[in-house]
Amino acid sequence: FDIDANGIVHVSARDKGTGKENDIRIKSSGGLSDAEIQKILKEAEEHAETDKRKKSLIETKNRGESVIDECHKNMKDHKQYMDADGEQKLKEAISTLQDKMNSSEDGDEIRQAIDSLQEVQLKVFEAAYKNQSQSGAGAQQGESAGPEDAEYKEVDDKK
């Protein structure tokens, strides 16, 4: 037997006793005709722009989810350094972005909500980092600034 590049199988057999030989070609009957292939290609071209918009929207929504997850993580990690007003602004911006992602099919609207959340996040966490560094500096002022006394032993490496 032999299989060609198109998936067609050629089988031949010879009866050694009688010397008769038979062969058969097996080809796929479920394949598409040229007209069907052209129709599918034409439909794909017609829907290319719609598919591109859908892909962009999905990517934008995925980016929004990532920004929301990042924001929640930062809120959890820096909660003790955030003020209540900043936390409330973040929650409102997150809620707005989630609403846009669930209800809107307009990628630009969602991108604007993402940018808005990132701006709020930047301002709130900038203030939180300042609070954290100030409280860290206050804790360090209570500690001794000079070297600590310690026991030591000299080792002579020149043996």
Side-chain angles (χ1 to χ4, degrees):
F1 72 94
D2 183 32
I3 301 176
D4 69 10
N6 294 322
I8 299 173
V9 180
H10 301 275
V11 180
S12 62
R14 181 184 306 215
D15 185 351
K16 291 185 180 183
T18 62
K20 289 185 178 180
E21 184 174 328
N22 276 331
D23 64 344
I24 187 170
R25 280 180 49 182
I26 304 171
K27 60 181 177 177
S28 174
S29 63
L32 297 174
S33 69
D34 287 341
E36 291 172 323
I37 291 172
Q38 291 304 319
K39 179 183 172 192
I40 291 170
L41 289 175
K42 183 180 175 191
E43 288 175 1
E45 289 173 5
E46 289 173 359
H47 297 290
E49 187 63 35
T50 305
D51 292 344
K52 211 182 286 186
R53 273 188 259 120
K54 284 181 181 179
K55 179 183 176 192
S56 176
L57 180 65
I58 290 168
E59 288 172 346
T60 302
K61 286 183 177 185
N62 287 343
R63 182 172 160 243
E65 287 292 334
S66 295
V67 170
I68 289 172
D69 290 344
E70 175 190 349
C71 192
H72 281 300
K73 180 185 175 296
N74 286 334
M75 286 174 66
K76 181 181 173 191
D77 291 346
H78 304 289
K79 186 165 183 70
Q80 69 263 22
Y81 303 111
M82 292 173 48
D83 60 3
D85 184 47
E87 186 176 358
Q88 183 60 34
K89 286 180 182 178
L90 275 174
K91 288 180 179 179
E92 288 173 4
I94 289 170
S95 177
T96 300
L97 176 55
Q98 286 174 330
D99 289 345
K100 294 285 185 195
M101 289 184 347
N102 291 332
S103 65
S104 178
E105 294 297 317
D106 182 8
D108 290 333
E109 245 182 57
I110 296 171
R111 276 190 282 284
Q112 287 173 352
I114 290 170
D115 292 343
S116 176
L117 173 58
Q118 287 178 322
E119 287 175 21
V120 171
Q121 183 179 11
L122 179 67
K123 290 176 186 174
V124 170
F125 289 119
E126 184 178 327
Y129 288 132
K130 285 180 184 175
N131 291 341
Q132 182 179 5
S133 65
Q134 288 173 355
S135 66
Q140 288 178 355
Q141 288 176 356
E143 299 173 3
S144 63
E148 294 185 22
D149 292 332
E151 292 183 27
Y152 65 93
K153 178 171 63 171
E154 286 189 33
V155 178
D156 188 14
D157 289 334
K158 298 179 185 177
K159 290 183 181 177

